[in-house]
Coordinates of all heavy atoms in Angstrom, one line a residue:
M1 N -23.7 2.0 -1.4 CA -22.3 1.9 -1.0 C -22.0 0.4 -1.0 O -22.8 -0.4 -0.7 CB -22.2 2.4 0.5 CG -20.8 2.3 0.9 SD -20.5 3.0 2.5 CE -20.6 4.8 2.0
H2 N -20.8 0.1 -1.5 CA -20.3 -1.2 -1.7 C -20.1 -1.9 -0.2 O -19.8 -1.2 0.7 CB -19.0 -1.4 -2.4 CG -18.5 -2.6 -2.9 ND1 -17.7 -3.3 -2.0 CD2 -18.8 -3.3 -4.0 CE1 -17.4 -4.5 -2.6 NE2 -17.9 -4.6 -3.8
E3 N -20.2 -3.2 -0.2 CA -20.1 -4.0 1.1 C -18.8 -3.8 1.7 O -18.7 -3.6 3.0 CB -20.4 -5.5 0.8 CG -20.4 -6.4 2.1 CD -20.6 -7.8 1.8 OE1 -21.0 -8.1 0.7 OE2 -20.3 -8.6 2.8
L4 N -17.7 -3.8 0.9 CA -16.4 -3.7 1.4 C -16.2 -2.2 2.0 O -15.6 -2.0 3.0 CB -15.3 -4.0 0.3 CG -13.8 -3.9 0.8 CD1 -13.6 -4.8 2.0 CD2 -12.9 -4.2 -0.3
E5 N -16.8 -1.3 1.3 CA -16.7 0.2 1.8 C -17.3 0.2 3.2 O -16.7 0.9 4.2 CB -17.4 1.2 0.9 CG -16.7 1.3 -0.4 CD -17.4 2.2 -1.4 OE1 -18.7 2.3 -1.3 OE2 -16.8 3.0 -2.1
T6 N -18.4 -0.4 3.4 CA -19.2 -0.5 4.6 C -18.3 -1.1 5.8 O -18.2 -0.6 6.9 CB -20.5 -1.1 4.5 OG1 -21.2 -0.5 3.5 CG2 -21.2 -1.1 5.8
K7 N -17.7 -2.2 5.4 CA -16.8 -2.9 6.4 C -15.6 -2.1 6.7 O -15.2 -2.1 7.9 CB -16.4 -4.2 5.8 CG -17.5 -5.2 5.8 CD -17.0 -6.5 5.1 CE -18.2 -7.5 5.0 NZ -17.8 -8.8 4.5
I8 N -15.1 -1.3 5.8 CA -13.8 -0.5 6.1 C -14.2 0.6 7.0 O -13.5 0.9 7.9 CB -13.1 -0.1 4.8 CG1 -12.4 -1.3 4.1 CG2 -12.2 1.0 5.0 CD1 -11.9 -1.0 2.8
L9 N -15.4 1.3 6.7 CA -15.8 2.4 7.4 C -16.0 2.0 9.0 O -15.7 2.6 9.9 CB -17.0 3.0 6.9 CG -16.9 3.8 5.6 CD1 -18.2 4.3 5.2 CD2 -16.0 5.1 6.0
A10 N -16.6 0.8 9.1 CA -16.9 0.2 10.5 C -15.5 0.0 11.1 O -15.5 0.2 12.2 CB -17.7 -1.0 10.4
A11 N -14.6 -0.6 10.5 CA -13.2 -0.9 11.0 C -12.5 0.4 11.4 O -11.9 0.5 12.5 CB -12.4 -1.6 10.1
V12 N -12.6 1.5 10.6 CA -12.0 2.8 11.0 C -12.7 3.4 12.2 O -12.1 3.9 13.1 CB -12.0 3.7 9.8 CG1 -11.6 5.1 10.2 CG2 -11.2 3.2 8.7
G13 N -14.1 3.2 12.1 CA -14.8 3.8 13.3 C -14.5 3.2 14.6 O -14.5 3.7 15.6
E14 N -14.2 1.8 14.7 CA -13.9 1.1 15.8 C -12.5 1.5 16.4 O -12.3 1.5 17.5 CB -13.9 -0.4 15.6 CG -15.3 -1.0 15.4 CD -15.3 -2.4 14.9 OE1 -14.1 -3.0 14.9 OE2 -16.3 -3.0 14.6
Q15 N -11.8 1.9 15.4 CA -10.3 2.2 15.8 C -10.1 3.7 16.2 O -9.1 4.1 16.6 CB -9.3 1.8 14.8 CG -9.3 0.3 14.5 CD -8.4 -0.1 13.3 OE1 -7.3 0.5 13.2 NE2 -8.8 -1.1 12.5
A16 N -11.0 4.6 15.8 CA -11.1 6.0 15.7 C -9.9 6.6 14.9 O -10.2 7.5 14.2 CB -10.7 6.4 17.3
E17 N -8.8 6.1 14.9 CA -7.7 6.4 13.9 C -7.1 5.2 13.3 O -6.9 4.2 14.1 CB -6.6 7.3 14.5 CG -7.0 8.6 15.0 CD -5.8 9.5 15.4 OE1 -4.7 8.8 15.6 OE2 -5.9 10.7 15.5
A18 N -7.0 5.0 12.0 CA -6.6 3.9 11.5 C -5.7 4.0 10.4 O -5.8 5.1 9.7 CB -7.9 3.0 11.0
T19 N -4.8 3.1 10.2 CA -3.9 3.0 8.9 C -4.5 1.9 8.0 O -5.3 1.1 8.5 CB -2.5 2.8 9.3 OG1 -2.5 1.4 9.9 CG2 -1.9 3.7 10.2
V20 N -4.1 1.9 6.9 CA -4.4 0.8 5.9 C -4.1 -0.6 6.5 O -4.8 -1.5 6.4 CB -3.7 1.0 4.5 CG1 -4.1 -0.1 3.6 CG2 -4.2 2.4 3.9
R21 N -2.8 -0.6 7.1 CA -2.5 -1.9 7.6 C -3.3 -2.3 8.8 O -3.7 -3.5 8.9 CB -1.0 -1.8 8.2 CG -0.4 -3.0 8.9 CD -0.5 -4.2 8.0 NE 0.4 -4.1 6.9 CZ 0.3 -4.8 5.8 NH1 -0.7 -5.7 5.7 NH2 1.0 -4.5 4.7
S22 N -3.7 -1.4 9.6 CA -4.6 -1.8 10.8 C -6.0 -2.2 10.3 O -6.6 -3.2 10.8 CB -4.7 -0.6 11.8 OG -5.4 0.4 11.3
V23 N -6.5 -1.6 9.2 CA -7.8 -2.0 8.7 C -7.6 -3.4 8.0 O -8.5 -4.3 8.1 CB -8.4 -0.9 7.7 CG1 -9.6 -1.5 7.0 CG2 -8.7 0.3 8.5
T24 N -6.5 -3.5 7.2 CA -6.3 -4.8 6.6 C -6.2 -6.0 7.6 O -6.8 -7.1 7.4 CB -4.9 -4.8 5.8 OG1 -5.0 -3.7 4.9 CG2 -4.7 -6.1 5.1
D25 N -5.6 -5.7 8.7 CA -5.5 -6.7 9.8 C -6.9 -7.0 10.5 O -7.3 -8.1 10.7 CB -4.5 -6.3 10.9 CG -3.1 -6.2 10.4 OD1 -2.8 -6.8 9.4 OD2 -2.3 -5.6 11.2
A26 N -7.7 -5.9 10.6 CA -9.0 -6.1 11.2 C -10.0 -6.9 10.3 O -10.8 -7.7 10.7 CB -9.6 -4.7 11.5
L27 N -9.8 -6.7 9.0 CA -10.6 -7.4 8.0 C -10.2 -8.8 7.7 O -10.8 -9.6 7.1 CB -10.6 -6.7 6.7 CG -11.3 -5.3 6.7 CD1 -11.3 -4.7 5.3 CD2 -12.7 -5.4 7.1
A28 N -9.0 -9.2 8.3 CA -8.4 -10.5 8.0 C -9.2 -11.5 8.6 O -9.3 -12.8 8.2 CB -6.9 -10.6 8.6
E29 N -9.9 -11.3 9.7 CA -10.8 -12.2 10.4 C -12.3 -12.2 9.9 O -13.1 -12.8 10.3 CB -10.8 -11.9 11.8 CG -9.4 -12.0 12.4 CD -9.3 -11.5 13.8 OE1 -10.3 -11.1 14.3 OE2 -8.2 -11.4 14.3
D30 N -12.4 -11.4 8.7 CA -13.8 -11.4 8.1 C -14.1 -12.7 7.5 O -13.3 -13.5 7.1 CB -13.7 -10.3 7.0 CG -15.0 -9.9 6.4 OD1 -16.0 -10.0 7.1 OD2 -15.1 -9.6 5.2
A31 N -15.5 -13.0 7.5 CA -16.0 -14.2 7.1 C -15.7 -14.4 5.6 O -15.6 -15.6 5.1 CB -17.4 -14.3 7.3
D32 N -15.5 -13.3 4.8 CA -15.2 -13.4 3.4 C -13.8 -13.7 3.0 O -13.4 -13.8 1.9 CB -15.6 -12.1 2.6 CG -17.1 -11.9 2.7 OD1 -17.9 -12.9 2.8 OD2 -17.5 -10.7 2.6
G33 N -12.9 -13.8 4.1 CA -11.5 -14.0 3.9 C -10.7 -12.7 4.0 O -11.3 -11.6 4.0
P34 N -9.4 -12.8 4.1 CA -8.6 -11.5 4.2 C -8.6 -10.8 2.9 O -8.9 -11.3 1.7 CB -7.2 -12.1 4.5 CG -7.2 -13.6 4.0 CD -8.7 -14.0 4.1
R35 N -8.3 -9.5 2.9 CA -8.3 -8.6 1.8 C -6.7 -8.2 1.6 O -6.1 -8.0 2.6 CB -9.1 -7.3 2.0 CG -10.5 -7.6 2.4 CD -11.3 -8.1 1.2 NE -12.7 -8.3 1.6 CZ -13.6 -8.6 0.8 NH1 -13.4 -8.8 -0.5 NH2 -14.9 -8.8 1.2
S36 N -6.4 -7.9 0.4 CA -5.0 -7.5 0.2 C -4.9 -6.1 0.6 O -5.8 -5.3 0.6 CB -4.7 -7.7 -1.3 OG -5.3 -6.7 -2.2
Y37 N -3.6 -5.7 0.9 CA -3.3 -4.3 1.4 C -3.7 -3.4 0.3 O -4.3 -2.3 0.5 CB -1.8 -4.3 1.6 CG -1.3 -3.0 2.1 CD1 -1.3 -2.6 3.4 CD2 -1.0 -1.9 1.2 CE1 -0.9 -1.4 3.9 CE2 -0.5 -0.7 1.6 CZ -0.5 -0.5 3.0 OH -0.1 0.9 3.4
T38 N -3.4 -3.7 -1.0 CA -3.6 -2.7 -2.1 C -5.1 -2.6 -2.4 O -5.5 -1.4 -2.7 CB -2.9 -3.1 -3.4 OG1 -3.4 -4.5 -3.7 CG2 -1.4 -3.0 -3.2
T39 N -6.0 -3.5 -2.1 CA -7.4 -3.4 -2.3 C -7.9 -2.4 -1.2 O -8.7 -1.5 -1.5 CB -8.1 -4.8 -2.1 OG1 -7.6 -5.6 -3.2 CG2 -9.6 -4.7 -2.2
V40 N -7.5 -2.7 0.1 CA -8.0 -1.8 1.1 C -7.5 -0.4 0.9 O -8.2 0.5 1.1 CB -7.5 -2.4 2.5 CG1 -7.9 -1.4 3.7 CG2 -8.1 -3.7 2.7
L41 N -6.3 -0.2 0.5 CA -5.7 1.0 0.2 C -6.5 1.8 -0.8 O -6.9 2.9 -0.7 CB -4.3 1.0 -0.3 CG -3.6 2.3 -0.8 CD1 -3.5 3.4 0.3 CD2 -2.2 2.0 -1.4
T42 N -6.9 1.1 -1.9 CA -7.7 1.7 -3.1 C -9.1 2.2 -2.5 O -9.5 3.3 -2.8 CB -7.9 0.7 -4.2 OG1 -6.6 0.4 -4.7 CG2 -8.7 1.2 -5.3
V43 N -9.7 1.3 -1.8 CA -11.0 1.7 -1.2 C -11.0 2.7 -0.2 O -11.9 3.6 -0.3 CB -11.7 0.4 -0.6 CG1 -13.1 0.8 0.1 CG2 -11.9 -0.7 -1.7
M44 N -10.0 2.8 0.6 CA -9.8 3.8 1.7 C -9.5 5.2 0.9 O -10.0 6.2 1.3 CB -8.8 3.6 2.6 CG -9.2 2.5 3.6 SD -8.0 2.0 4.9 CE -8.1 3.3 6.0
T45 N -8.7 5.1 -0.1 CA -8.5 6.4 -0.9 C -9.8 6.9 -1.6 O -10.0 8.1 -1.5 CB -7.4 6.1 -2.0 OG1 -6.2 5.7 -1.4 CG2 -7.2 7.4 -2.8
R46 N -10.5 6.1 -2.1 CA -11.9 6.4 -2.7 C -12.8 6.9 -1.7 O -13.5 7.9 -1.9 CB -12.5 5.2 -3.4 CG -11.7 4.9 -4.7 CD -12.4 3.6 -5.4 NE -11.6 3.2 -6.5 CZ -11.7 2.2 -7.1 NH1 -12.5 1.2 -6.7 NH2 -11.0 1.9 -8.1
L47 N -12.8 6.3 -0.4 CA -13.6 6.9 0.7 C -13.2 8.3 1.1 O -14.1 9.1 1.4 CB -13.7 5.9 1.8 CG -14.5 4.6 1.6 CD1 -14.1 3.6 2.7 CD2 -15.9 4.8 1.4
D48 N -11.9 8.5 1.0 CA -11.5 9.8 1.4 C -11.9 10.9 0.3 O -12.4 11.9 0.6 CB -9.9 9.8 1.4 CG -9.3 11.2 1.6 OD1 -9.7 11.9 2.5 OD2 -8.3 11.4 0.9
R49 N -11.8 10.4 -1.0 CA -12.3 11.3 -2.1 C -13.8 11.6 -1.9 O -14.2 12.7 -2.4 CB -12.0 10.8 -3.4 CG -10.5 10.9 -3.8 CD -10.3 10.4 -5.2 NE -8.8 10.1 -5.3 CZ -8.4 9.1 -6.1 NH1 -9.1 8.3 -6.7 NH2 -7.1 9.0 -6.1
K50 N -14.5 10.7 -1.5 CA -16.0 10.8 -1.5 C -16.4 11.5 -0.3 O -17.6 12.0 -0.1 CB -16.7 9.4 -1.3 CG -16.6 8.6 -2.7 CD -17.2 7.2 -2.5 CE -17.2 6.4 -3.8 NZ -17.9 5.1 -3.5
G51 N -15.5 11.8 0.7 CA -15.8 12.6 1.8 C -16.2 11.7 3.0 O -16.6 12.3 4.1
F52 N -16.0 10.4 3.1 CA -16.4 9.6 4.2 C -15.3 9.5 5.2 O -15.5 9.2 6.4 CB -16.9 8.2 3.7 CG -18.2 8.2 3.0 CD1 -18.2 8.1 1.6 CD2 -19.4 8.4 3.7 CE1 -19.4 8.1 0.9 CE2 -20.6 8.4 3.0 CZ -20.6 8.2 1.6
L53 N -14.1 9.6 4.7 CA -12.9 9.6 5.6 C -12.0 10.8 5.5 O -12.0 11.4 4.3 CB -12.0 8.3 5.2 CG -12.6 6.9 5.5 CD1 -11.6 5.9 4.9 CD2 -12.9 6.7 7.0
D54 N -11.3 11.2 6.5 CA -10.4 12.2 6.4 C -9.0 11.7 6.5 O -8.8 10.7 7.3 CB -10.6 13.3 7.5 CG -11.7 14.2 7.2 OD1 -12.1 14.4 6.0 OD2 -12.3 14.6 8.2
R55 N -8.0 12.1 5.8 CA -6.6 11.5 5.8 C -5.6 12.6 6.1 O -5.7 13.7 5.7 CB -6.3 11.0 4.4 CG -5.0 10.4 4.2 CD -4.8 9.8 2.8 NE -4.9 10.9 1.8 CZ -4.9 10.6 0.6 NH1 -4.7 9.4 0.0 NH2 -5.1 11.7 -0.3
R56 N -4.7 12.1 6.9 CA -3.6 13.1 7.2 C -2.3 12.2 7.1 O -2.3 11.0 7.4 CB -3.7 13.7 8.6 CG -3.5 12.9 9.7 CD -3.4 13.7 11.0 NE -3.1 12.8 12.2 CZ -4.1 12.1 12.9 NH1 -5.3 12.1 12.5 NH2 -3.6 11.3 13.8
R57 N -1.2 12.9 6.8 CA 0.1 12.2 6.6 C 0.9 12.3 7.9 O 1.0 13.3 8.5 CB 0.9 12.9 5.5 CG 2.1 12.1 5.0 CD 1.6 11.0 4.2 NE 2.7 10.5 3.4 CZ 2.7 9.2 2.9 NH1 1.6 8.5 2.9 NH2 3.7 8.7 2.3
E58 N 1.4 11.1 8.3 CA 2.3 11.0 9.5 C 3.6 10.2 9.2 O 3.5 9.0 9.1 CB 1.6 10.3 10.7 CG 0.5 11.2 11.4 CD 0.0 10.5 12.7 OE1 0.5 9.5 13.1 OE2 -0.8 11.1 13.2
G59 N 4.6 11.0 8.8 CA 5.8 10.3 8.4 C 5.5 9.7 7.0 O 5.2 10.3 6.1
K60 N 5.7 8.3 6.9 CA 5.5 7.6 5.7 C 4.2 7.0 5.5 O 3.9 6.3 4.6 CB 6.6 6.6 5.4 CG 8.0 7.1 5.3 CD 9.0 6.0 5.0 CE 10.3 6.7 4.8 NZ 11.3 5.6 4.3
K61 N 3.3 7.2 6.5 CA 1.9 6.5 6.5 C 0.9 7.5 6.6 O 1.1 8.6 7.0 CB 1.8 5.5 7.6 CG 1.9 6.0 8.9 CD 1.9 4.9 10.0 CE 2.1 5.5 11.3 NZ 2.1 4.5 12.4
D62 N -0.3 7.1 6.0 CA -1.5 7.9 6.2 C -2.4 7.4 7.2 O -2.5 6.2 7.4 CB -2.3 7.9 4.8 CG -1.6 8.6 3.7 OD1 -1.0 9.6 3.9 OD2 -1.8 8.2 2.5
V63 N -2.9 8.4 8.0 CA -3.8 8.0 9.1 C -5.2 8.4 8.6 O -5.4 9.6 8.3 CB -3.4 8.6 10.4 CG1 -4.3 8.3 11.5 CG2 -2.0 8.2 10.8
Y64 N -6.2 7.5 8.9 CA -7.6 7.9 8.5 C -8.4 8.0 9.7 O -8.3 7.3 10.6 CB -8.1 6.9 7.5 CG -7.4 6.8 6.1 CD1 -6.2 6.1 6.0 CD2 -7.9 7.4 5.1 CE1 -5.6 6.0 4.8 CE2 -7.3 7.2 3.8 CZ -6.2 6.6 3.8 OH -5.5 6.5 2.5
V65 N -9.4 8.9 9.6 CA -10.3 9.1 10.7 C -11.8 9.2 9.9 O -11.8 9.7 8.8 CB -10.1 10.4 11.6 CG1 -8.8 10.1 12.3 CG2 -10.0 11.6 10.8
P66 N -12.8 8.9 10.6 CA -14.2 9.1 10.0 C -14.4 10.6 9.8 O -14.1 11.4 10.7 CB -15.1 8.5 11.1 CG -14.2 7.6 11.9 CD -12.9 8.1 12.0
A67 N -15.0 10.9 8.8 CA -15.3 12.3 8.3 C -16.7 12.7 8.9 O -17.1 13.8 9.1 CB -15.1 12.6 6.9
V68 N -17.5 11.6 9.0 CA -18.9 11.8 9.5 C -19.1 10.8 10.7 O -18.4 9.8 10.8 CB -19.8 11.5 8.4 CG1 -19.8 12.6 7.3 CG2 -19.7 10.1 7.8
D69 N -20.1 11.2 11.5 CA -20.4 10.3 12.7 C -21.3 9.3 12.3 O -22.2 9.3 11.3 CB -20.9 11.1 13.8 CG -19.9 11.9 14.4 OD1 -18.8 11.6 14.5 OD2 -20.3 13.1 15.0

């Protein structure tokens, strides 16, 4: 698993429910520097496809939750 995928999964796990924006904000303080919204969106979409995250639509945004403990 890629290092950024691991960081995103950890950020979602800490929040219980997360949006791409909330994860982007959480990673902004990362030692590697901030990540762009589209990069985080792409990785979170891939994690959903791989079965690590579950996604549901709320209005105009997607909310992600961990699919596994």
Side-chain angles (χ1 to χ4, degrees):
M1 182 174 287
H2 190 270
E3 181 182 347
L4 182 56
E5 289 178 331
T6 304
K7 289 179 181 183
I8 288 174
L9 285 174
V12 173
E14 289 174 8
Q15 299 176 37
E17 292 188 344
T19 63
V20 175
R21 175 62 57 206
S22 68
V23 172
T24 303
D25 292 345
L27 295 178
E29 299 165 8
D30 188 33
D32 296 332
R35 306 288 182 174
S36 73
Y37 181 92
T38 54
T39 299
V40 174
L41 173 62
T42 299
V43 174
M44 289 178 77
T45 301
R46 289 180 183 161
L47 288 169
D48 175 48
R49 287 188 196 140
K50 291 179 180 180
F52 292 104
L53 294 175
D54 287 327
R55 176 179 61 182
R56 73 173 184 276
R57 193 78 169 161
E58 286 187 5
K60 291 186 176 185
K61 62 184 173 184
D62 290 326
V63 177
Y64 293 84
V65 295
V68 293
D69 290 332

